[in-house]
Structures are given as structure tokens and as C-alpha cells.
Amino acid sequence: MHRILRLHSIYTPRLSTVLHGRRNRLASLFNSRFFNTESEYHYKADETLENMQDILDFYFEENPDFGSADITYASGVLTIQLPQGTWVLNKQTPNRQIWWSSPLTGPRRYEFAEKRNKWVWSRFIDKQDPKQDGNKFSNTVYLGETLKQEMFELFLEKKGLNGLDDL
């Protein structure tokens, strides 16, 4: 029994460093926030998704020639239905992330970076090369700027989307 405990104390720190050390070092580059409580995560994610809904509602009200837009936020899911496709942003509580699905960029995961007070694409936190995706949106790091860039790509109008820069 003593030998098992001794081996456990020797190998657990190494295993922990291998499994978690790399991620923690890379996450510190973006100061990724690991929320202390689930309620902190819900507050920040809800605030972000509700702000996105408000900004997009205003954007489409001010630009009726863009076509019909159905933008809803319910039960942690923001759905943006446009003639060009449907975007879905949803809270992933176990991971404390916001997941993104877009007809232009596909799926993404975002984690909150406290230092920047923004949601950062996990590829940048994980230090993977986002350019390997081979799409023109691979340089968008933050959730708000990604949505802004995609709306601009579709409608060639950024006026009314500036609030997304803060998300």
C-alpha cells in the first residue's frame, strides 16, 4: 500500500503537468478565465448573447433592405435565421464555453479571456494554427469580431455593428 501511494505521489504531478500544464501555459497567453462558479459563467455568457441579440435586432431594423431576420435568444441558445443561412450560438456549461455554428465558418468554440474581457476562439488558446482552416475568417479571434465580419461579408455594411467589437 505504501508503495502505491508513493508511486501515486511521484507520477501524479508529472501526469498533471503533461495533461494540464501545456493548456495552462497557453491559456495564460490569453489569460483565459476559468470561472470560479457556474453562476459567474452563466452571467457572462447570458450577457454576451443578449447583447448580440440587441445589436443584431437594431442592425436589421435599421437596414430593412437586408431581408428578413429572425433573431431569438432562449434557454442559452442564440439563433440567427437569415435568408443566407442560420447561425447558432449556444452556451456549453460543462466546458464553460460558447459554441458557434455558422454557414460561413462552420463550428467554433469560444472561451472567455478575462484580460481582454472578450470570448476568444479556442484555437488561439490551444495554440493551433487557425489558418489551417483555409477560410478568409481564420484571422478573427474574438466572438464579436467574427459575427461582425460575417455580417459585413453578407451585407457590406458595418454601421450598427460596432458594439460587437466589445464582445
Side-chain angles (χ1 to χ4, degrees):
M1 177 82 162
H2 178 68
R3 184 174 187 192
I4 292 172
L5 290 175
R6 197 171 122 219
L7 288 174
H8 176 71
S9 67
I10 291 172
Y11 291 109
T12 300
R14 272 193 206 155
L15 182 59
S16 177
T17 301
V18 169
L19 295 177
H20 303 291
R22 179 178 175 271
R23 176 146 178 86
N24 289 339
R25 283 192 309 276
L26 295 172
S28 70
L29 296 173
F30 284 91
N31 200 14
S32 179
R33 176 163 183 187
F34 298 100
F35 294 96
N36 292 323
T37 65
E38 193 171 298
S39 63
E40 285 180 17
Y41 160 75
H42 283 293
Y43 175 81
K44 194 61 178 173
D46 286 332
E47 177 185 52
T48 299
L49 295 172
E50 288 168 1
N51 286 340
M52 287 183 151
Q53 179 186 20
D54 292 343
I55 291 166
L56 290 174
D57 280 339
F58 179 77
Y59 180 70
F60 286 101
E61 286 172 11
E62 293 295 310
N63 300 290
D65 52 319
F66 290 168
S68 65
D70 184 19
I71 303 163
T72 58
Y73 181 62
S75 302
V77 180
L78 176 64
T79 305
I80 307 161
Q81 292 181 325
L82 304 174
Q84 296 84 349
T86 301
W87 284 252
V88 178
L89 292 84
N90 63 297
K91 297 188 323 185
Q92 286 296 316
T93 303
N95 303 21
R96 299 198 176 161
Q97 298 174 333
I98 293 177
W99 285 9
W100 158 282
S101 176
S102 158
L104 300 180
T105 56
R108 290 185 175 191
R109 295 172 294 128
Y110 288 86
E111 297 179 34
F112 190 70
E114 186 174 27
K115 186 174 183 179
R116 290 171 175 78
N117 199 33
K118 295 182 180 186
W119 294 87
V120 178
W121 186 13
S122 296
R123 288 235 174 165
F124 284 88
I125 292 173
D126 294 339
K127 199 73 169 165
Q128 295 176 11
D129 184 10
K131 299 201 184 322
Q132 72 187 2
D133 290 345
N135 70 50
K136 59 187 159 195
F137 299 102
S138 62
N139 63 340
T140 55
V141 178
Y142 303 109
L143 179 61
E145 79 177 358
T146 303
L147 184 56
K148 180 179 179 178
Q149 183 63 33
E150 290 195 13
M151 293 299 111
F152 178 72
E153 180 74 20
L154 293 173
F155 304 111
L156 301 176
E157 178 62 64
K158 286 188 181 179
K159 185 178 178 186
L161 294 175
N162 290 335
L164 292 174
D165 292 331
D166 299 329
L167 303 176

